[in-house]
Amino acid sequence: MKLPAKEALRKIRTRYVGYLNWQDIIAGLSIAGLLLPQALAYSSIGNLPAQAGIIGLFAGLLCYGLLGSSRFALVSPTSSSAVVLAATTMTMAEDNAGLRLILASGLVIMTGIIFLLAAATRMGNVTDFIAKPVLRGFTFGLAIVIIIKQSTSVLNISVQKDNLFLFILDVLRQFRSWNYACLAATALALVFLALMEWLRRIRNGQFRNIPSGTLVIIAGIVAGKVFDLPSYGIPDVGSIELNLNNPILPDLSYPEWMQLFEIGIALVFILYAESYGSIRSFAMKHHDTIYPNRDLFALGISNLVSGIFQGMPVGAGYSATAANEAYGAKTRLAGLYAMAITLVIILTVLPFIEWIPVPVLAAIVISTMATTLSLSSFRLYFNWKIDRMLIVASVLSVLLLGVLQGLMIAIAISLLMMLRQNSKSTVSVLGRLGQSHDFVSLSVFPEAQPVAGILILRPDQSMFFANADRILLQARYIVSADSQPVHTVILSLEQTTDLDATSVEALRDFFVEMRKENKKLILARLKNPVHRILQSTLGRQFPEVSLSRLSV
């Protein structure tokens, strides 16, 4: 018999050691050059010290590398979560920098807890509640907000307005204070990044292993020292202190924790939608098996660890995951190698990182966000009027009302759509198609023929508490309005996968009505959970009702 410890070691050797190769190491080296600049840039978006992004990067790479299910996904700070974090802390703490840091830590911890609760309750498909047009519209609007708000770093000015249009007005009012040296540095960095992207395209990805973000940072550091950029008013990142030995639980009041919980729910929706989209896309491409609830757990632990050490919220961004796959990663070891290489960089060249010009980080953010402003991703959704309205509403809600309100409205729109769709109460009358065994809607197939003396009804939506009464009321009306004599009513519940107490109660009333009218009742095409519930709750009270799992 194998001991548990030996069995665990055997599985680790089988899963990882057997796949050790230079491709994971090369991918890790390249990814470290991509993720470190992004982590620094996103910490500036979140109005947090640079170490917050680095701590989030370490926590995400380590925890997901050990616990996640995708071999390509890389968990690190993301731009969307950074903006939500900044909006939250600015709203709750205003100009109190110390309180902002504590609130940020509390929000990340709360996000991790909500992820763990979702994993415990097996809510791996939680992001299905957000309609894709809504999510894409929110992301598009968010990218616009992020790019515009980089103007504070590009022009070296201070603006505290959360509303985008008030923010723009404040930027324009300060035109006399604009630092054109910062503007020039940003422009040069953007030109360099665009040139690298152009070379990749014309060379068919030949330069894909060259991390352009790292190169532009190195160029910025060199230029900062050679030309003494701070003397021109171009700020650098400044001192970075990594206090990994001091995990804390923020001392916040109950109302503050409750407010963070509400925002954390919305942040989990966004982070997991982005993460699961990346994870699922590359799993399908490589025919890999993924486990959504396991990924929820891994993301929860990643955010919990990051929050305890005052890091940023983390998720599996598409750009980092795509780059990891493009660099040739084979296992999750690539992310662990990236973490180790990043740690070596931090320990050896930390003073040089502190010299990075802030406009260079702003250029990296702008370049990254600009890639998401493609209208081609909306082409499919613009074929339907309702989707066009959802996209426009999501974009405008972010631009007009701010990130937090826009986020809440985007989720609210999705939930309202789901409720509107599920609460519909249409019932189709079925007939037999020719001499076949197919029974179809008479309104869709006029050539189908009803069965003499038998009325076959099918609710076109899954029955649940919001529509059960209306569906069965409509079924009663159809039965009473039928001009032909009916001795049997067949109710096909093929669309219903489960039943709640309200639906069972509505079915009981329907059974009583059919009994009063001396009509035989058959429930057909029952899913196993529905059959078990009806058998245990109503089977003895209505023995004359046939519960059939077979097709009509």
Side-chain angles (χ1 to χ4, degrees):
M1 183 180 74
K2 296 181 180 179
L3 296 175
K6 290 185 177 180
E7 178 66 13
L9 289 174
R10 185 190 68 80
K11 289 183 178 179
I12 291 174
R13 285 196 301 269
T14 302
R15 182 175 297 175
Y16 292 111
V17 179
Y19 293 100
L20 282 177
N21 55 60
W22 283 101
Q23 287 177 291
D24 281 334
I25 298 175
I26 293 172
L29 180 62
S30 302
I31 285 297
L34 171 71
L35 293 181
L36 181 57
Q38 285 188 350
L40 295 172
Y42 294 158
S43 62
S44 66
I45 293 177
N47 290 328
L48 294 176
Q51 61 262 27
I54 296 174
I55 291 170
L57 178 60
F58 284 148
L61 291 177
L62 176 63
C63 296
Y64 190 85
L66 295 175
L67 303 172
S69 68
S70 169
R71 59 192 175 114
F72 297 112
L74 293 175
V75 172
S76 61
T78 68
S79 57
S80 57
S81 62
V83 175
V84 174
L85 187 72
T88 302
T89 56
M90 185 176 294
T91 301
M92 296 178 65
E94 297 181 350
D95 297 331
N96 190 332
L99 181 57
R100 278 209 306 266
L101 190 61
I102 294 173
L103 288 170
S105 177
L107 179 58
V108 181
I109 290 173
M110 187 59 72
T111 300
I113 292 172
I114 296 171
F115 266 122
L116 293 177
L117 289 174
T121 53
R122 307 188 66 81
M123 295 182 64
N125 295 322
V126 64
T127 56
D128 291 342
F129 291 107
I130 302 182
K132 290 297 186 293
V134 172
L135 183 61
R136 291 187 184 275
F138 173 79
T139 305
F140 190 87
L142 190 63
I144 295 174
V145 171
I146 292 172
I147 290 173
I148 292 177
K149 290 202 170 184
Q150 288 306 300
S151 57
T152 55
S153 299
V154 172
L155 302 173
N156 194 24
I157 57 178
S158 177
V159 180
Q160 299 298 326
K161 298 293 189 299
D162 187 44
N163 181 279
L164 185 63
F165 294 97
L166 294 178
F167 179 92
I168 295 173
L169 286 175
D170 209 351
V171 170
L172 295 176
R173 286 195 193 102
Q174 299 185 45
F175 74 95
R176 296 182 187 277
S177 303
W178 289 2
N179 187 317
Y180 293 98
C182 282
L183 180 61
T186 306
L188 288 173
L190 285 172
V191 168
F192 180 86
L193 293 169
L195 179 62
M196 290 298 299
E197 184 61 30
W198 177 73
L199 287 174
R200 287 193 186 98
R201 285 201 304 268
I202 66 171
R203 295 291 184 178
N204 296 321
Q206 185 176 346
F207 297 95
R208 70 179 184 179
N209 290 329
I210 300 177
S212 54
T214 302
L215 292 182
V216 76
I217 281 179
I218 293 173
I221 293 173
V222 172
K225 288 302 173 184
V226 172
F227 298 106
D228 191 18
L229 294 183
S231 66
Y232 294 94
I234 301 178
D236 53 30
V237 170
S239 177
I240 300 176
E241 298 178 2
L242 297 178
N243 298 316
L244 295 179
N245 295 323
N246 300 313
I248 64 166
L249 185 64
D251 184 14
L252 297 171
S253 65
Y254 179 78
E256 287 172 330
W257 278 116
M258 287 298 98
Q259 191 171 353
L260 292 179
F261 177 77
E262 294 169 2
I263 298 169
I265 292 175
L267 186 55
V268 164
F269 269 102
I270 295 302
L271 277 174
Y272 190 59
E274 184 178 19
S275 301
Y276 190 55
S278 305
I279 293 169
R280 182 174 55 184
S281 296
F282 289 95
M284 292 175 62
K285 180 178 178 180
H286 293 273
H287 307 288
D288 292 342
T289 300
I290 57 173
Y291 303 94
N293 292 302
R294 176 174 161 186
D295 288 324
L296 279 173
F297 179 77
L299 288 169
I301 295 296
S302 299
N303 280 280
L304 195 60
V305 171
S306 179
I308 288 174
F309 289 99
Q310 294 185 302
M312 295 183 64
V314 293
Y318 187 86
S319 59
T321 302
N324 192 34
E325 186 241 13
Y327 292 147
K330 297 298 181 184
T331 71
R332 292 199 306 278
L333 281 175
L336 297 177
Y337 286 138
M339 184 203 68
I341 293 165
T342 303
L343 180 61
V344 171
I345 293 173
I346 295 296
L347 293 177
T348 56
V349 296
L350 185 61
F352 296 100
I353 294 175
E354 296 172 356
W355 297 342
I356 300 173
V358 170
V360 170
L361 293 180
I364 293 173
V365 172
I366 293 171
S367 176
T368 303
M369 291 297 99
T371 60
T372 67
L373 292 179
S374 172
L375 293 175
S376 60
S377 61
F378 297 139
R379 187 176 297 120
L380 173 64
Y381 302 110
F382 266 75
N383 292 325
W384 291 275
K385 181 179 179 181
I386 183 65
D387 287 341
R388 289 199 299 270
M389 292 174 58
L390 290 174
I391 290 172
V392 173
S394 299
V395 173
L396 290 179
S397 65
V398 176
L399 299 182
L400 296 176
L401 302 176
V403 175
L404 283 182
Q405 292 82 358
L407 177 58
M408 299 298 182
I409 289 174
I411 293 177
I413 290 173
S414 294
L415 294 178
L416 286 174
M417 282 184 56
M418 181 192 67
L419 292 174
R420 176 178 176 271
Q421 180 66 30
N422 288 335
S423 62
K424 291 180 179 178
S425 55
T426 58
V427 178
S428 296
V429 180
L430 306 186
R432 188 173 185 176
L433 195 60
Q435 297 301 314
S436 69
H437 294 288
D438 296 327
F439 287 80
V440 295
S441 173
L442 294 177
S443 61
V444 179
F445 296 91
E447 66 273 20
Q449 296 296 320
V451 180
I454 299 176
L455 185 60
I456 307 174
L457 305 177
R458 182 191 65 200
D460 293 327
Q461 292 81 31
S462 177
M463 285 179 55
F464 72 116
F465 64 88
N467 64 9
D469 286 326
R470 290 201 305 274
I471 285 176
L472 294 176
L473 185 63
Q474 186 177 352
R476 289 183 202 173
Y477 175 78
I478 294 173
V479 172
S480 62
D482 196 288
S483 58
Q484 302 297 323
V486 173
H487 56 76
T488 300
V489 175
I490 299 178
L491 190 63
S492 177
L493 297 181
E494 59 196 77
Q495 302 290 346
T496 302
T497 58
D498 205 347
L499 287 175
D500 51 52
T502 304
S503 302
V504 172
E505 186 177 359
L507 282 169
R508 183 194 63 193
D509 295 340
F510 185 71
F511 295 167
V512 171
E513 191 74 20
M514 293 300 101
R515 175 188 280 176
K516 288 179 180 178
E517 298 182 11
N518 295 319
K519 289 180 170 54
K520 181 180 179 181
L521 181 62
I522 299 175
L523 297 185
R525 292 180 176 172
L526 301 180
K527 301 290 193 298
N528 285 336
V530 176
H531 185 273
R532 284 196 299 269
I533 290 172
L534 292 176
Q535 190 71 45
S536 61
T537 56
L538 302 177
R540 294 182 180 179
Q541 185 179 357
F542 301 95
E544 72 276 13
V545 177
S546 174
L547 304 177
S548 173
R549 303 184 199 181
L550 303 176
S551 298
V552 177

